[in-house]
């Protein structure tokens, strides 16, 4: 029997077929893979500084060499071809393009991305460029970083410079990757670069990131960019009981906790970007954490540029409950009296992140219901496991299961009406996993960091077949 869902997703006796034209690909980010940190005029980013600061990154790892992708990108594109990828999402390192974050453009830095784009296009792979995946030029942090309004203006200038060079060939542009993480882990709990711990600064950073997004989106559109997106880390916010039973009843106190965290994670970004407003609940939190003096008249209109897609990065749900007396978590201003919970009864990845595929379907259906004006692209989804190489193979069954479960969840959401256009696995390669260094492997391709040898894991072969069949 074939069940035809909406938007062309069909299910035939356990076979899940994706809509025609569904985009299949993989994602990476500049600092996590490129290495070559001193090449061709690049100057330090906040991640160079942070990773060199003792105690910040596991094992003292840095992105100095990473996957050496700067020099090996042609080989890496050959791997993408072998995997049949239709799309490749990468990010551009601001400190290559403007080494000090402003002023003249460093042509040699842009040359690298120009070569990368040419080679992708030659291979028939569509480039998806992200302008900011956390590697702020250190000079801009020295001038105050994202908590300062000027950084948004600098980002607009940088975005325009990149588009001027690549816009003749790149159609798909994302402004920011996960501004929540950049603001609240970078300036809130300090687990990420630049490692500051100041709730008010984190809230200002988030607003200026959004402002930079709006300014850059406007500049990109004016210069002819075809598809523009904002990439967010999004999760359904649920209670412990809802991990295994999505329909579980929740108390009024738990519902209030859920709403407050959802406001910080989802509403804080989508309300201004798509509707030109901040909710009263969000403004109350800002009011209690340094005030809203940095939100100027006209900002919300600037942030509210028409965009085509929201990029969804999903790994796990966010599990909370009412916790009277709990202090606010440093990454979550306004989270007083809320407890962040582990998800009992479900397996977890090597990051300790609970594996809840139906969280992704819930999230996608909710986003399309609440924000029908934009399409959705899964810009990241994947898992770290402790992979081992045995006789030239990596039998990463758990990763394949993770991806299979999440792709079925995407399929179910499409059949329920969610407007999902494609799926980009995180990640093509094992890489520098931020504060966790190289010990956490997310790739479908194994990287031996001593030799830079690449090896397709079993999940890569599996994914190639999924792409070839356009389904499971
Ligand atoms: C996301 C990041 C990405 C990667 C994955 C595991 O938050 O965008 O760079 O580290 O997590």
């Amino acid at each position: 029997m074939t069940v035809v869902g909406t938007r062309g997703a069909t299910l035939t006796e356990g076979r899940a077929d994706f809509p025609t034209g569904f985009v299949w690909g993989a994602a990476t980010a500049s600092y996590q893979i490129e290495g070559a940190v001193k090449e061709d005029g690049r100057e330090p980013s906040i991640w160079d500084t942070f990773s060199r600061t003792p105690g910040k990154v596991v094992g003292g790892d840095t992105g100095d060499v990473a996957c050496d992708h700067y020099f090996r990108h042609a080989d890496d594109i050959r791997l993408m071809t072998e995997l049949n990828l239709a799309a490749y999402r990468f990010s551009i390192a601001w400190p290559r393009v403007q080494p000090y974050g402003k002023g003249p453009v460093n042509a040699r830095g842009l040359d690298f991305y120009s070569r990368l784009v040419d080679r992708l296009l030659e291979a028939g792979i569509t480039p998806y460029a992200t302008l900011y995946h956390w590697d702020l030029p250190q000079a801009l942090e020295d001038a105050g970083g994202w908590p300062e309004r000027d950084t948004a203006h600098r980002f607009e200038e940088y975005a325009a410079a990149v588009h001027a060079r690549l816009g003749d060939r790149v159609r798909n542009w994302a402004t920011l990757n996960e501004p929540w993480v950049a603001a609240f882990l970078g300036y809130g709990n300090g687990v990420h670069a630049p490692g500051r711990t100041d709730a008010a600064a984190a809230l200002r950073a988030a607003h200026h990131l959004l402002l930079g997004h709006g300014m850059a989106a406007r500049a990109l559109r004016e210069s002819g960019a075809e598809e523009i997106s904002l990439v967010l880390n999004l999760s359904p916010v649920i209670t412990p009981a809802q991990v295994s039973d999505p329909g579980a009843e929740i108390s009024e106190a738990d519902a209030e906790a859920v709403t407050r965290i959802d406001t910080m994670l989802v509403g804080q970004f989508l309300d201004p970007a798509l509707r030109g407003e901040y909710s009263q609940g969000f403004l109350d939190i800002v009011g209690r954490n340094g005030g809203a003096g940095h939100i100027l008249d006209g900002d919300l209109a600037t942030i509210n540029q028409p965009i085509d897609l929201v990029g969804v990065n999903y790994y796990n749900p966010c599990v909370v409950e009412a916790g009277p007396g709990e202090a606010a978590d440093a990454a979550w201003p306004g989270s007083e009296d809320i407890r962040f919970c582990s998800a009992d009864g479900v397996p977890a990845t090597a990051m300790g992140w609970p594996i809840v595929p139906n969280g992704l379907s819930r999230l996608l259906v909710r986003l399309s219901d609440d924000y029908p004006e934009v399409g959705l692209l899964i810009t990241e989804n994947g898992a770290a496991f402790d992979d081992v190489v045995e006789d030239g193979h990596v039998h990463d069954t758990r990763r394949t299961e993770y991806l299979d479960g999440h792709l079925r969840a995407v399929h179910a959401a499409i059949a329920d009406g969610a407007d999902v256009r494609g799926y980009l696995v995180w990640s093509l390669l094992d890489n520098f996993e931020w504060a966790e260094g190289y010990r956490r492997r997310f790739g479908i391709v194994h990287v031996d960091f001593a030799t830079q040898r690449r090896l397709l894991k079993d999940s890569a072969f599996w994914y190639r077949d999924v792409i070839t069949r356009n389904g499971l």
Side-chain angles (χ1 to χ4, degrees):
M1 195 187 66
T2 300
V3 182
V4 182
T6 53
R7 303 191 192 271
T10 60
L11 199 56
T12 313
E13 269 120 38
R15 248 195 76 157
D17 292 309
F18 281 75
T20 311
F22 192 79
V23 176
W24 296 101
T28 63
S30 47
Y31 190 72
Q32 295 181 276
I33 65 163
E34 286 177 358
V37 293
K38 297 198 171 134
E39 213 62 35
D40 293 330
R42 183 188 180 280
E43 289 291 329
S45 76
I46 54 176
W47 270 97
D48 296 271
T49 309
F50 187 76
S51 63
R52 280 184 172 62
T53 309
K56 298 297 185 190
V57 175
V58 172
D61 291 347
T62 72
D64 284 3
V65 179
C67 306
D68 199 31
H69 173 79
Y70 195 80
F71 296 112
R72 293 171 194 262
H73 65 278
D75 291 340
D76 289 337
I77 291 172
R78 273 190 281 281
L79 286 177
M80 296 178 211
T81 307
E82 250 179 82
L83 294 176
N84 228 346
L85 301 189
Y88 174 55
R89 172 177 180 243
F90 60 96
S91 79
I92 292 162
W94 190 346
R96 292 196 193 282
V97 176
Q98 285 177 303
Y100 300 99
K102 56 175 152 187
V105 166
N106 173 35
R108 286 182 299 158
L110 273 172
D111 285 347
F112 167 66
Y113 297 104
S114 185
R115 289 194 299 275
L116 177 71
V117 164
D118 283 343
R119 289 192 164 136
L120 286 167
L121 292 171
E122 273 160 35
I125 298 167
T126 304
Y128 280 67
T130 298
L131 286 162
Y132 185 71
H133 201 126
W134 309 349
D135 37 6
L136 186 73
Q138 180 61 42
L140 291 185
E141 175 60 21
D142 295 343
W146 284 109
E148 290 302 318
R149 191 177 177 87
D150 185 56
T151 306
H153 291 282
R154 302 284 64 80
F155 182 64
E156 176 184 14
E157 184 183 292
Y158 153 71
V162 176
H163 189 273
R165 181 71 197 278
L166 304 179
D168 57 336
R169 287 157 289 155
V170 176
R171 298 180 51 237
N172 308 81
W173 293 89
T175 53
L176 307 174
N177 179 72
E178 301 189 353
W180 183 88
V181 174
F184 294 97
L185 301 194
Y187 297 90
N189 72 3
V191 168
H192 279 192
R196 283 158 66 179
T197 50
D198 174 350
L203 284 161
R204 288 202 309 276
H207 179 71
H208 295 141
L209 279 153
L210 279 162
L211 189 63
H213 155 74
M215 292 171 163
R218 186 175 57 200
L220 290 170
R221 189 73 77 191
E222 280 167 4
S223 43
E226 278 172 59
E227 186 180 86
I228 300 175
S229 64
L230 170 64
V231 175
L232 302 173
N233 51 305
L234 296 170
S235 296
V237 183
I238 60 177
T239 61
Q242 290 178 323
V243 173
S244 45
D245 176 8
E249 294 271 319
I250 63 174
S251 69
E252 226 173 273
D254 284 349
E256 192 277 325
V258 163
T259 303
R260 214 162 358 125
I261 295 306
D262 184 74
T263 297
M264 291 305 288
L265 184 64
V266 183
Q268 174 176 198
F269 299 94
L270 288 181
D271 291 347
L274 301 180
R275 296 180 176 153
E277 63 191 34
Y278 279 131
S279 69
Q280 193 51 51
F282 174 70
L283 291 172
D284 290 345
I285 291 171
V286 177
R288 293 200 302 276
N289 289 277
H294 59 287
I295 305 175
L296 305 189
D297 280 355
D299 283 1
L300 285 163
T302 303
I303 296 168
N304 182 27
Q305 298 300 316
I307 58 173
D308 305 285
L309 294 177
V310 168
V312 176
N313 293 355
Y314 173 81
Y315 292 92
N316 52 258
C318 180
V319 187
V320 302
E321 64 186 8
E326 294 278 338
D329 183 290
W332 298 91
S335 66
E336 296 82 1
D337 304 314
I338 293 176
R339 185 174 306 116
F340 290 84
C341 308
S342 53
D344 296 334
V346 292
T349 69
M351 297 290 279
W353 296 349
I355 304 177
V356 187
N358 75 44
L360 180 55
S361 359
R362 280 190 256 179
L363 172 69
L364 295 170
V365 171
R366 180 255 173 127
L367 291 172
S368 274
D369 283 351
D370 287 0
Y371 304 95
E373 61 274 38
V374 280
L376 304 172
L377 176 69
I378 313 294
T379 33
E380 290 182 23
N381 175 243
F385 290 107
D386 296 328
D387 300 319
V388 281
V389 181
E390 293 167 291
D391 301 330
H393 295 276
V394 179
H395 300 304
D396 57 339
T397 320
R398 298 193 65 201
R399 180 172 293 101
T400 302
E401 282 167 10
Y402 179 101
L403 298 176
D404 180 83
H406 285 78
L407 279 172
R408 286 181 193 279
V410 174
H411 187 270
I414 297 173
D416 279 348
D419 183 6
V420 187
R421 314 277 175 84
Y423 178 93
L424 311 178
V425 69
W426 184 272
S427 179
L428 177 70
L429 302 170
D430 290 337
N431 60 46
F432 175 79
E433 177 46 36
W434 309 114
E436 297 291 329
Y438 294 100
R439 72 168 174 165
R440 294 290 176 243
R441 294 178 174 273
F442 275 89
I444 57 171
V445 176
H446 183 272
V447 177
D448 177 333
F449 292 103
T451 61
Q452 291 297 340
R453 187 161 169 255
R454 273 71 162 146
L455 181 64
L456 303 194
K457 301 180 191 177
D458 287 357
S459 60
F461 293 111
W462 170 86
Y463 190 49
R464 180 195 61 193
D465 293 345
V466 170
I467 296 174
T468 310
R469 287 197 302 265
N470 193 37
L472 302 156

